[in-house]
Amino acid sequence: MRNTAQVAILFLTSSACSSAQPFRQAIIPTGPSPRWIAVADLNNDRNPDIVVANAGSDSSDSGSITVLFGDGRGAFRPASGSPFPAGHLPNDIALADMNNDGHPDLIIANHQSPFLRVFLGDGRGSFHLAPGSPVDVHSNPHPHGIAVADFNSDGKPDAATDSWGNNQIEILLGDGTGRLLTPGTFFSAGHRPYERLRTADFNHDGHPDIVTTNLDDSTVSILLGDGHGTLHNAAGSPFPAGAKPWEVAVGDLNQDGNSDLVIIPYQRDINGPIENAVTVLLGDGRGAFHPMPGSPLPLGDCRGPNSIATGDLGGNGLRSIVVACAESRTLRIYRQAPAGTFNATNLPIAGGWGSVAVARLTSDSRAAIITANADAGSITIYFPK
């Protein structure tokens, strides 16, 4: 599946956004149907690189991973052997050093299959399946999301995934060689933790915790870790999270040192435009969450919101919120003002059912936006101009 075509990068200036939001665009080919994006230094040159999970065809094991090396100045080139096979419908990506060799590894969830896959990196951008991969995680009905952290404090990264048919999430311990040990341990969440789970230390005890979006009871669950591999619901969890919460991103929106949550709904199941909105929940640093003043933020004419990210687009320490709108083929960008309010603008994108990420890719203090353009077989990087 190696792509031998030379990478073409096209730079454009968007006139569809306000003068306060100019971007320089870089369009980079990937594999078929790119969906999910992650950013890390994969080849130890201290420059951010990009990983893209390509879904391929829904009816085959044609999913792949594209690895793009960054030069620290905004240019990217494919790693040798990229894209490489990744099994059926890779649906989420996590990065961690799973075998303690000092190099980042990839962990993906294969949607509509029973598998997680661990790919071990060699520090030069090449990856190979870890021993024991793919891993049958016995999720009901199959895994969607992936999060990685050391949940039992043994110095070896572990993996968390969803089992929404049982209203549970699953922890699989890592053995430090790249293997994930089965069977995993299951913990109760809310009703139908369907699409995304993420990890952060929500109560500042030094142990990783988990957040899940619970589609059918319109909540998020905060599962606090004890550092021994066990999770329990935070006091008051699950917390109301707007109608049909689907995708979630974690970041400190109000600069108080606590992790906050930004959440978008599964639009197909909501009731009208009022429920088509971004819910922002502020964390108290003890595991509890409450709505931000002014939340929810209306999504307006954003149709098919399917991915959400947050980051510092202005280089001023204030986090913005970015939503990919698959059906209207737009980005909905909420820039935060110093007063803590958010101003929304739309930006046309190539679109399709891809995703969005926000990350610093150069020495610029301002983060860039990256979209996966599922219908176009490419990603677009929106650099601040």
Side-chain angles (χ1 to χ4, degrees), residues 37 324 331 349-351 354-357 369-373 378-382:
I37 301 163
L331 285 180
I349 58 173
S355 66
V356 64
I369 301 171
I370 314 164
T371 62
N373 310 316
S378 66
I379 63 169
T380 302
I381 306 173
Y382 298 84

Side-chain angles (χ1 to χ4, degrees), residues 11-77:
F11 290 100
L12 304 169
T13 300
S14 172
S15 59
C17 51
S18 73
S19 59
Q21 295 181 340
F23 293 98
R24 176 174 57 95
Q25 297 181 23
I27 301 171
I28 307 175
T30 61
S33 193
R35 297 290 177 89
W36 303 104
I37 301 163
V39 176
D41 177 10
L42 301 178
N43 59 348
N44 296 313
D45 65 355
R46 299 186 180 181
N47 296 320
D49 308 310
I50 298 174
V51 183
V52 184
N54 308 301
S57 169
D58 286 356
S59 59
S60 71
D61 286 343
S62 60
S64 65
I65 298 291
T66 295
V67 175
L68 300 167
F69 287 152
D71 66 358
R73 298 183 297 276
F76 289 85
R77 61 179 175 84

Side-chain angles (χ1 to χ4, degrees), residues 41-355:
D41 177 10
L42 301 178
N43 59 348
N44 296 313
D45 65 355
R46 299 186 180 181
N47 296 320
D49 308 310
I50 298 174
V51 183
V52 184
N54 308 301
S57 169
D58 286 356
S59 59
S60 71
D61 286 343
S62 60
S64 65
I65 298 291
T66 295
V67 175
L68 300 167
F69 287 152
D71 66 358
R73 298 183 297 276
F76 289 85
R77 61 179 175 84
S80 176
S82 177
F84 59 86
H88 188 67
L89 292 178
N91 191 62
D92 200 6
I93 310 171
L95 294 122
D97 183 3
M98 300 298 291
N99 61 346
N100 292 313
D101 66 353
H103 307 311
D105 308 312
L106 306 177
I107 309 90
I108 65 168
N110 290 112
H111 182 46
Q112 295 181 4
S113 88
F115 300 124
L116 299 181
R117 278 176 164 83
V118 178
F119 293 93
L120 300 179
D122 64 359
R124 298 183 295 274
S126 293
F127 293 86
H128 63 277
L129 271 175
S133 267
V135 182
D136 187 340
V137 298
H138 303 287
S139 165
N140 181 10
H142 45 250
H144 294 75
I146 181 73
V148 174
D150 182 6
F151 292 106
N152 64 344
S153 305
D154 65 353
K156 303 167 186 176
D158 312 307
T161 192
D162 57 285
S163 184
W164 63 259
N166 299 331
N167 299 324
Q168 294 176 322
I169 64 101
E170 180 183 7
I171 300 291
L172 298 104
L173 298 181
D175 71 352
T177 72
R179 291 181 183 271
L180 295 174
L181 304 180
T182 59
T185 304
F186 291 82
F187 299 93
S188 295
H191 192 198
R192 201 178 181 191
Y194 176 65
E195 180 65 21
R196 281 294 173 264
L197 74 168
R198 290 292 182 253
T199 184
D201 183 2
F202 293 118
N203 61 347
H204 298 291
D205 66 352
H207 305 310
D209 311 313
I210 287 178
V211 57
T212 72
T213 53
N214 304 315
L215 189 68
D216 283 355
D217 59 14
S218 296
T219 64
V220 292
S221 289
I222 302 298
L223 302 175
L224 301 179
D226 66 356
H228 302 290
T230 299
L231 302 170
H232 65 275
N233 270 279
S237 174
F239 300 98
K244 301 298 180 181
W246 188 28
E247 298 282 346
V248 60
V250 180
D252 183 2
L253 273 292
N254 61 347
Q255 300 177 288
D256 65 353
N258 301 322
S259 293
D260 308 314
L261 307 175
V262 288
I263 303 151
I264 53 173
Y266 191 43
Q267 191 178 33
R268 188 188 71 176
D269 291 352
I270 63 176
N271 296 311
I274 293 178
E275 293 185 347
N276 191 35
V278 176
T279 297
V280 181
L281 299 180
L282 300 181
D284 69 355
R286 298 183 295 275
F289 286 82
H290 61 275
M292 179 192 74
S295 174
L297 307 174
L299 277 164
D301 55 3
C302 170
R303 300 190 309 278
N306 68 302
S307 180
I308 188 165
T310 178
D312 183 1
L313 298 180
N316 56 5
L318 300 176
R319 281 185 170 263
S320 299
I321 299 168
V322 184
V323 179
C325 309
E327 294 176 356
S328 55
R329 296 180 181 271
T330 55
L331 285 180
R332 182 83 165 173
I333 302 172
Y334 300 86
R335 284 186 179 264
Q336 187 176 177
T341 57
F342 289 83
N343 301 310
T345 57
N346 292 338
L347 177 68
I349 58 173
W353 289 92
S355 66

